[in-house]
Amino acid sequence: MKPGEFLRLVRLRPRPSPPQTYDDFRRLARRRLPRVVYDFVEGGADGEVTLRANHEAFDRVRFTASSLVDVSERDAGATVLGRRLGVPFICGPAGLARLVHRDGELAAARAAAAAGTVFVISTASSYSIEEIAAASDGPLWFQLYLWRSPEVVARLVDRAAAAGCEALVLTVDVPVIGKRERDLRNGMTVPPRVGPAQALEALRRPRWLWHLAAGPPVHFGCLVDELPPNTDMSSMAAYLDRELADLSKTWEDVAWLRERWDGPLLIKGVMSAADARRCVEQGADAVVVSNHGGRQLDGLPAALDALGPIVEEVGGEAEVILDGGVRRGADLVKARALGATAAMGGRAWFWPLAVGGEQGVARMLQILRADVERTLALLGRNTYEELDASVLH
């Protein structure tokens, strides 16, 4: 090879293109994360039937389009609980984001604010309510469970209000934790233990190890104040297992929470019209149709398949938000056409966070918005909010 030819070949070699889709981010994250962490995010319960169903349901829905319509001006935004969002996707609650990036929820909340959408703080966030609120100037909601102790719930609710969270998201589908077989096979712990079996794989991912070491300890940031000082992570995990699982909670406990919180209340984990009706009777402002991303009861239908009956039951009395399976802007359009106000999800911001931190999440939200705008143009529609079943085949 003549002098200079090698450099010329290097210059001609095409640069890898940035991620263009949800699946691009997921594939990149799979290469960058050790298997134990990747499976923790990606995995579902038991045989993962419901996890797969969430994606397959969107694939079954078909469009019909109108041609020669003036679509020179399009609006992909949505109004959710009185707030205008720039993209009809809410970054849903997902815990322990420090496992995939040192800035975790801080980075995701900043990206959501820049995109003009909501970030939902999980009770299991690796940063505290106060830290996330200080990092973001965008709208925040807070997600919680009906813990065994009403005092713990009351303190979390009061902290969320003091931090400026605009709405409360009550998750009701976790009386016990689902059997997540990938985590059991991998020996998943929080924080991950790098033993002999995982050492080689972790060493092959120095970027992930650096992110793990560079940030604060991986813990449940919202719950640190509920435990004695210097409590280790294993004790905190035991506390979660003990306090979270309360099989005695009923709709009467939702009524107590409604009285304590005077802002918008969403109830998440609803998969039947009957439960949606109970949500409205207890004063919920919105119902989140969700099977917990397939991570709780396996064998439930896809969230999208449960959407229609719930919209029919309570759509005129409460907003209905879809959670589960969203990968593309076209999925957001399908959810709207079937009656959802907007959609939310966790993996759709977790993978971009693992790949590119705040910039990764920002790019994913830009992709979703651009996808919605393009789909509107191809359908012959101008606004996201005008969509209805007439665009479906």
Side-chain angles (χ1 to χ4, degrees):
M1 182 177 292
K2 295 181 180 179
E5 282 189 4
F6 175 75
L7 291 178
R8 182 173 62 83
L9 289 173
V10 170
R11 286 196 299 269
L12 291 175
R13 185 178 180 180
R15 295 180 179 178
S17 63
Q20 303 296 325
T21 67
Y22 169 99
D23 283 329
D24 287 348
F25 280 112
R26 182 181 57 79
R27 283 190 289 265
L28 287 171
R30 187 168 192 170
R31 293 203 293 265
R32 297 186 183 196
L33 299 174
R35 179 176 178 177
V36 64
V37 176
Y38 175 84
D39 280 354
F40 172 73
V41 179
E42 175 69 0
D46 298 288
E48 301 187 344
V49 173
T50 298
L51 175 65
R52 293 190 296 273
N54 277 344
H55 297 307
E56 293 166 356
F58 281 104
D59 294 339
R60 291 195 305 269
V61 177
R62 298 289 188 268
F63 289 126
T64 186
S66 299
S67 300
L68 294 177
V69 177
D70 182 357
V71 289
S72 54
E73 294 185 8
R74 301 177 306 285
D75 184 357
T79 301
V80 180
L81 295 174
R83 174 175 279 278
R84 187 68 180 171
L85 305 184
V87 57
F89 179 81
I90 295 160
C91 293
L96 294 174
R98 269 278 292 118
L99 285 174
V100 302
H101 191 277
R102 68 181 186 278
D103 293 333
E105 295 86 0
L106 306 181
R110 288 192 294 261
T117 193
V118 172
F119 181 81
V120 186
I121 303 172
S122 168
T123 292
S125 291
S126 40
Y127 288 94
S128 70
I129 303 169
E130 294 78 10
E131 288 171 316
I132 297 169
S136 169
D137 58 0
L140 299 172
W141 297 350
F142 180 67
Q143 174 271 334
L144 83 164
Y145 305 94
L146 286 173
W147 295 67
R148 186 182 302 274
S149 168
E151 291 77 18
V152 171
V153 177
R155 285 193 292 270
L156 287 170
V157 169
D158 292 346
R159 286 172 59 193
C165 293
E166 297 180 0
L168 204 61
V169 182
L170 174 64
T171 298
V172 296
D173 59 354
V174 190
V176 295
I177 301 294
K179 184 181 180 183
R180 296 163 193 176
E181 295 179 5
R182 295 198 203 196
D183 292 348
L184 295 173
R185 285 192 293 266
N186 293 334
M188 174 62 184
T189 60
V190 179
R193 293 195 183 100
V194 182
Q198 296 86 20
L200 180 59
E201 187 180 8
L203 289 172
R204 292 172 57 192
R205 291 163 175 82
R207 179 183 297 183
W208 174 78
L209 280 175
W210 180 82
H211 277 278
L212 194 67
V218 177
H219 61 194
F220 298 104
C222 294
L223 302 172
V224 170
D225 293 341
E226 299 297 330
L227 297 169
N230 303 317
T231 299
D232 62 23
M233 194 64 197
S234 61
S235 299
M236 186 177 287
Y239 170 84
L240 273 175
D241 290 340
R242 182 178 68 252
E243 293 296 324
L244 178 58
D246 187 347
L247 303 178
S248 68
K249 296 301 183 184
T250 69
W251 289 99
E252 292 179 1
D253 297 286
V254 177
W256 170 84
L257 183 64
R258 175 70 280 183
E259 290 179 2
R260 186 169 187 91
W261 175 263
D262 58 7
L265 174 66
L266 302 88
I267 299 183
K268 177 178 177 287
V270 179
M271 287 292 289
S272 72
D275 273 1
R277 172 53 55 192
R278 294 187 185 99
C279 292
V280 171
E281 290 171 351
Q282 297 298 339
D285 300 283
V287 172
V288 182
V289 181
S290 173
N291 52 36
H292 216 99
R295 293 165 72 83
Q296 282 298 103
L297 176 61
D298 200 26
L300 284 172
L304 189 71
D305 289 337
L307 177 62
I310 291 174
V311 170
E312 185 176 352
E313 177 69 26
V314 301
E317 303 168 70
E319 295 188 23
V320 180
I321 296 171
L322 178 76
D323 169 63
V326 170
R327 294 165 294 174
R328 302 175 182 274
D331 295 341
L332 297 172
V333 170
K334 292 173 182 179
R336 176 64 183 174
L338 290 168
T341 304
M344 67 167 61
R347 295 181 183 94
W349 65 264
F350 239 78
W351 298 135
L353 176 70
V355 172
E358 180 179 345
Q359 292 181 344
V361 180
R363 176 161 178 79
M364 185 71 235
L365 293 172
Q366 291 168 357
I367 290 169
L368 288 173
R369 179 183 174 86
D371 281 354
V372 171
E373 291 180 343
R374 183 184 309 106
T375 305
L376 287 172
L378 294 170
L379 287 172
R381 298 301 176 98
N382 296 97
T383 70
Y384 178 83
E385 291 189 317
E386 78 176 270
L387 294 168
D388 56 27
S390 64
V391 302
L392 301 179
H393 182 70

